[in-house]
């Protein structure tokens, strides 16, 4: 059997996104489901941003980062779902070479930003519960803006570097990606040139975007747990920990779905399982976040009520 035919990367015109299903009869159902989920995601997250920005009582560090998380979730989902919906509608599986790299860049950037913001929000809860007397200093507006800027820089630079490194890769004639988006690992499997640097970059980005933020979150919640269990009043313990409930729920859902893909042994790997997990953390969780953060939060309910009651419309 001969070697796969090599194609110079400059001549690659497009890739094929195989999507979630190759069964034609399932495409209208998938289109309707994902269109509905995408609309709910966009409306829900943008309403969170509008409610927080319009209510002066919510101009605090916790809601500042929540607004940025909601905006990031909307952008993260928008990097992949509209293209998938367009491909289903036009009955096409193609995505251009430049479009694939552009999509990959935004997915890496907003996915990494999601992780960083979850870590920063955990730190905010740690300071609020464990060091309440220093909260106004430790979470001043200037420091919050600085932390947000650092999150943008720390996610943008590796995402851009990884995307630029992919432009040096030569791809084979086979260009089918078994995903609904341009997955970096799937792209490297189509390469006909050396990809060791790209693979090392994926490992480095995994450590930077997943391991480090998760370690900071775990450390913060260990300290929070010690402080909460040190409160003598049961009502005080519940009140202190209830401020972390929404964030902790999102963290468990987000990292649980990621670990379901990347920590499984290689022998149990399957493209179908990876697609399901990717759908969970790229579509379902961003859709659920507005409900998680608003349904059990009295301040958010009041802000949303004011937003609609004042005659403002989305």
């Amino acid at each position: 059997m001969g070697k796969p035919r090599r194609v110079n990367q400059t001549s690659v015109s497009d890739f094929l996104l195989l999507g979630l299903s190759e069964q034609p009869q399932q495409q209208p159902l998938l289109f309707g489901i994902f269109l509905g989920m995408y609309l709910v995601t966009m409306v829900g997250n943008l309403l969170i941003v509008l409610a927080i920005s319009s209510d002066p009582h919510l101009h605090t560090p916790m809601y500042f980062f929540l607004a940025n998380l909601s905006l990031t979730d909307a952008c993260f989902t928008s990097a992949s779902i509209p293209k998938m919906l367009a491909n289903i509608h036009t009955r096409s599986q193609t995505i251009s070479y430049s479009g694939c790299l552009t999509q990959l860049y935004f997915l890496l950037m907003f996915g990494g930003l999601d992780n960083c913001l979850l870590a920063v929000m955990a730190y905010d809860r740690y300071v609020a519960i464990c060091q309440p007397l220093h909260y106004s200093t430790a979470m001043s507006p200037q420091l919050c803006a600085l932390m947000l800027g650092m999150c943008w820089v720390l996610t943008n630079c590796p995402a851009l570097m990884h995307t630029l490194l992919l432009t040096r890769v030569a791809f084979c004639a086979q260009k089918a990606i078994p995903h609904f988006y341009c997955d970096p690992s799937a792209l490297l499997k189509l390469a006909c040139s050396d990809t060791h640097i790209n693979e090392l970059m994926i490992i480095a980005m995994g450590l930077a975007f997943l391991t480090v933020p998760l370690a900071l979150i775990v450390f913060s919640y260990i300290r929070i747990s010690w402080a909460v269990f040190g409160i003598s009043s049961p009502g005080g313990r519940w009140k202190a920990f209830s401020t972390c409930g929404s964030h902790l729920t999102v963290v468990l859902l987000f990292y649980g779905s990621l670990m379901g893909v990347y920590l499984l042994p290689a022998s149990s790997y399957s493209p179908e399982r990876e697609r399901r997990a990717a759908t969970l953390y790229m579509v379902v969780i961003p859709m659920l976040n507005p409900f998680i953060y608003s349904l059990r939060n009295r301040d958010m309910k009041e802000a949303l009520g004011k937003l609609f009651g004042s005659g403002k419309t989305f």
Side-chain angles (χ1 to χ4, degrees):
M1 188 173 180
K3 294 182 179 179
R5 185 163 58 90
R6 176 171 172 166
V7 180
N8 188 280
Q9 66 266 30
T10 56
S11 66
V12 174
S13 58
D14 53 48
F15 294 96
L16 296 178
L17 296 176
L18 300 184
L20 292 172
S21 173
E22 297 183 39
Q23 302 297 324
Q25 65 272 19
Q26 295 181 356
Q27 300 307 310
L29 177 62
L30 288 174
F31 182 86
I33 291 174
F34 279 88
L35 177 60
M37 294 171 69
Y38 178 66
L39 292 176
V40 171
T41 300
M42 295 302 293
V43 172
N45 282 289
L46 293 180
L47 277 177
I48 293 288
V49 175
L50 285 174
I52 292 174
S53 60
S54 63
D55 191 338
H57 295 97
L58 300 184
H59 293 176
T60 62
M62 180 177 72
Y63 292 108
F64 169 74
F65 291 119
L66 174 57
N68 281 277
L69 180 68
S70 296
L71 188 60
T72 301
D73 280 340
C75 294
F76 185 46
T77 303
S78 297
S80 60
I81 299 305
K83 179 58 181 175
M84 183 188 76
L85 294 174
N87 280 4
I88 294 176
H89 181 68
T90 59
R91 299 181 181 180
S92 169
Q93 295 179 317
T94 61
I95 182 171
S96 67
Y97 174 75
S98 59
C100 187
L101 294 185
T102 302
Q103 184 188 75
L104 177 65
Y105 164 73
F106 284 114
L107 285 173
L108 292 175
M109 185 183 71
F110 289 118
L113 189 57
D114 232 336
N115 285 273
C116 287
L117 286 173
L118 288 174
V120 170
M121 292 172 75
Y123 174 73
D124 170 73
R125 293 298 84 207
Y126 157 72
V127 176
I129 294 174
C130 300
Q131 301 178 8
L133 298 179
H134 302 284
Y135 184 76
S136 59
T137 303
M139 300 300 293
S140 66
Q142 294 80 8
L143 288 177
C144 289
L146 179 62
M147 284 191 285
L148 178 62
M150 288 178 62
C151 288
W152 276 94
V153 172
L154 291 175
T155 54
N156 182 69
C157 291
L160 182 61
M161 187 181 301
H162 181 65
T163 306
L164 291 176
L165 284 173
L166 270 175
T167 62
R168 302 169 59 87
V169 175
F171 293 97
C172 303
Q174 173 62 35
K175 296 176 288 182
I177 301 173
H179 261 297
F180 61 90
Y181 67 97
C182 288
D183 178 68
S185 299
L187 275 174
L188 293 182
K189 291 177 182 178
L190 304 179
C192 289
S193 59
D194 183 70
T195 59
H196 285 94
I197 296 179
N198 303 81
E199 291 167 359
L200 288 174
M201 190 67 187
I202 289 179
I203 295 173
M205 291 181 69
L207 292 173
F209 289 165
L210 297 176
T211 308
V212 174
L214 181 58
L216 292 174
I217 292 171
V218 171
F219 176 76
S220 297
Y221 274 105
I222 290 174
R223 298 295 300 272
I224 288 172
S225 299
W226 287 345
V228 169
F229 288 119
I231 299 174
S232 57
S233 168
R237 285 198 298 268
W238 170 251
K239 183 178 179 181
F241 201 72
S242 64
T243 63
C244 308
S246 299
H247 177 261
L248 189 57
T249 302
V250 172
V251 167
L252 291 174
L253 287 172
F254 186 77
Y255 284 100
S257 61
L258 288 177
M259 291 177 182
V261 175
Y262 298 109
L263 295 186
L264 286 175
S267 59
S268 63
Y269 168 83
S270 71
E272 182 65 27
R273 180 179 294 172
E274 185 171 345
R275 285 196 292 266
R276 287 198 298 265
T279 302
L280 181 61
Y281 69 78
M282 294 178 66
V283 186
V284 178
I285 295 177
M287 180 186 69
L288 294 178
N289 282 356
F291 298 99
I292 294 172
Y293 278 106
S294 61
L295 291 180
R296 296 182 60 187
N297 188 311
R298 186 177 63 182
D299 292 334
M300 281 302 308
K301 288 180 183 178
E302 292 177 355
L304 289 169
K306 291 178 184 177
L307 185 64
F308 288 108
S310 62
K312 296 179 182 180
T313 58
F314 175 65

